[in-house]
Amino acid sequence: MSEVLREIDELRQSLPDRTRLRDEDVLKDLALALESSPVLRRLPAAEALLEDLRTFAPGSRMEATKQHINSQRDPHVFSLFDASYFPSLGLDWLTYETLPTDPHLVERYASNTLPVNVVGRTRGFASRVVVALFPENHLDGIQEPDDVIFYFIDKFVERHRRITRLMIDEVMAPGSFPTIQQASGKQIEQAATWWVRLHEYHHRHGDMPIPEFLAAKKAKPLAGLEELRVDVSGMLTCLDDERLPRQEARTAFEFILAERLLRYAVEGIPRPNYDAVASQVLFTYLVQHEGIRLHEDRIVLLPGLTSVLRDFLGAIRRIEAGIHDRPLEAVREELLAFTRRYTDYDPAVRDYRHIPYFAQIKQRLGV
């Protein structure tokens, strides 16, 4: 497999910048290079990509490549990617291993999510920011309901250890997250697996699900609020579904809360990205409604936290329920107004700022 990865990395170097990836001559030359490669040409994943390269036209779907991936006939992904938020991806290969999870979770909260660990990859997938792979990241930019969504759990675990654990130690009151602080690597891996499964399930449920309302929620604050809606839904699922194993569910609850409240809060340089904006909303809401408080610069989780999380989710759901009898733009404006109450917006540059508390943490910890 090392020979496969090495050859693909060499082919990557011959490709032009992303603006020309769809040019007919570029795709033709790439197809010829793959056809002439004794290492690549007989691999099923490469055969599928070749078929798509020969027939690709703007607006068409990469049928053979997506079929190969969705069928999971082998643990390999090979494609030509173009994703603005994953700029390292281009012509890339991924080999993965799937991870086990709770049968009830898989059945009750079914989605096309595939949590995996990366066991082999070309250069593009080495980037830390590439923690997932979505169907629309391929050159065709198309997502269909049956397309598999990959989450790279080993990267989630590494990120948790590198950033979130540090923040728990430095920012939280002692004993705030007892389960995940004592969890083994395998238990953290399992919690991350639960998180992404619940995340994708809840995206596709509710009054304004994704992808149906993706365009309406593409603005930074609304994209962040959607991420928050699904993650708070996931947290409460862990607490409320008694058919889920209790210890594992508690670990997943703490894991999601820690990631959403702490790690995402410091993302984005110099301005917060949509995940950081979501964490601003959550942090400020929880403070104002007595779910958490600051004591000597540390966050204390208060006894009413779960009730406040329920109220928070209820507020979003009530606004989104208006979509059934109000214009989309009116509902969208109400969602925007909700986010503005709990964020630090800079009108001079028309963007958000890291709230002072997390801005100081970001600088002090270098995260």
Side-chain angles (χ1 to χ4, degrees), residues 92-105:
D92 278 292
W93 177 285
L94 173 76
T95 299
Y96 62 86
E97 62 178 7
T98 57
L99 297 170
T101 193
D102 179 74
H104 172 66
L105 183 76

Side-chain angles (χ1 to χ4, degrees), residues 18 21-22 52 56-63 65-66 79-85 133-145 147 211 214:
R18 285 169 42 200
L21 284 181
R22 293 167 180 80
D52 288 328
F56 183 82
S60 65
R61 184 171 183 265
M62 300 177 74
E63 294 285 353
T65 300
K66 299 287 181 72
S79 191
L80 187 57
F81 301 99
D82 182 17
S84 60
Y85 48 88
L133 182 65
F134 303 103
E136 63 269 27
N137 297 155
H138 296 259
L139 190 67
D140 58 6
I142 295 172
Q143 177 181 355
E144 292 194 351
D147 288 338
L214 181 61

Side-chain angles (χ1 to χ4, degrees), residues 26 42 61 87 95 127-129 142 144 146 174 192 196 204-206 209 211 214 222 233 254 261 273 277 313 321 334:
V26 171
R42 291 187 176 87
R61 184 171 183 265
T95 299
S127 172
R128 275 180 172 171
V129 302
I142 295 172
E144 292 194 351
D146 293 334
V196 300
R204 284 154 178 75
H205 291 79
L214 181 61
L222 297 188
S233 297
E254 289 189 10
L261 181 63
N273 63 14
V277 170
L313 184 59
E334 191 171 354

Side-chain angles (χ1 to χ4, degrees), residues 4 43 77 118 130 140 142 184 195 213 262 269 308 332 336 355 362:
V4 170
L43 297 174
V77 174
V118 177
V130 184
D140 58 6
I142 295 172
S184 66
W195 176 21
F213 287 91
L262 300 178
I269 300 172
V308 177
R332 188 174 177 276
L336 282 168
I355 55 179
K362 186 177 179 70

Side-chain angles (χ1 to χ4, degrees), residues 7-8 11 27-42 45-51 53-54 78 91:
E7 183 155 343
I8 294 170
L11 278 175
L27 298 179
K28 181 179 178 180
D29 288 346
L30 178 56
L32 288 172
L34 293 178
E35 287 171 345
S36 63
S37 168
V39 175
L40 299 175
R41 64 188 179 196
R42 291 187 176 87
E47 290 176 346
L49 178 58
L50 258 173
E51 183 177 334
L53 292 175
R54 294 186 187 112
F78 184 36
L91 181 70

Side-chain angles (χ1 to χ4, degrees), residues 288-357:
Q288 291 186 9
H289 293 81
E290 299 183 351
I292 62 175
R293 66 181 174 89
L294 287 177
H295 177 68
E296 296 180 350
D297 285 334
R298 285 185 175 262
I299 299 172
V300 180
L301 305 182
L302 298 177
L305 172 63
T306 301
S307 294
V308 177
L309 288 172
R310 294 189 195 282
D311 292 343
F312 174 83
L313 184 59
I316 298 173
R317 285 176 171 173
R318 282 191 294 275
I319 296 172
E320 294 198 349
I323 197 65
H324 301 294
D325 51 29
R326 299 174 63 202
L328 171 60
E329 193 56 33
V331 176
R332 188 174 177 276
E333 283 301 318
E334 191 171 354
L335 290 169
L336 282 168
F338 181 85
T339 65
R340 292 188 191 111
R341 291 200 293 271
Y342 304 106
T343 50
D344 186 5
Y345 184 74
D346 185 350
V349 297
R350 302 177 68 182
D351 202 352
Y352 294 83
R353 293 177 286 234
H354 287 289
I355 55 179
Y357 178 72

Side-chain angles (χ1 to χ4, degrees), residues 105 160 172 175-183 187-188 190-192 194-195 198 234-259 291 301-307 309-310:
L105 183 76
H160 177 81
M172 298 301 302
S176 297
F177 293 107
T179 308
I180 58 172
Q181 285 188 287
Q182 297 174 15
Q187 288 170 322
I188 293 298
Q190 182 182 64
W194 281 38
W195 176 21
L198 290 169
M235 291 181 221
L236 295 177
T237 295
C238 290
L239 297 181
D240 295 342
D241 189 340
E242 295 183 355
R243 293 188 62 187
L244 292 171
R246 289 296 82 203
Q247 182 69 16
E248 290 89 336
R250 181 68 199 183
T251 305
F253 169 82
E254 289 189 10
F255 185 89
I256 301 169
L257 178 60
E259 293 293 310
L301 305 182
L302 298 177
L305 172 63
T306 301
S307 294
L309 288 172
R310 294 189 195 282

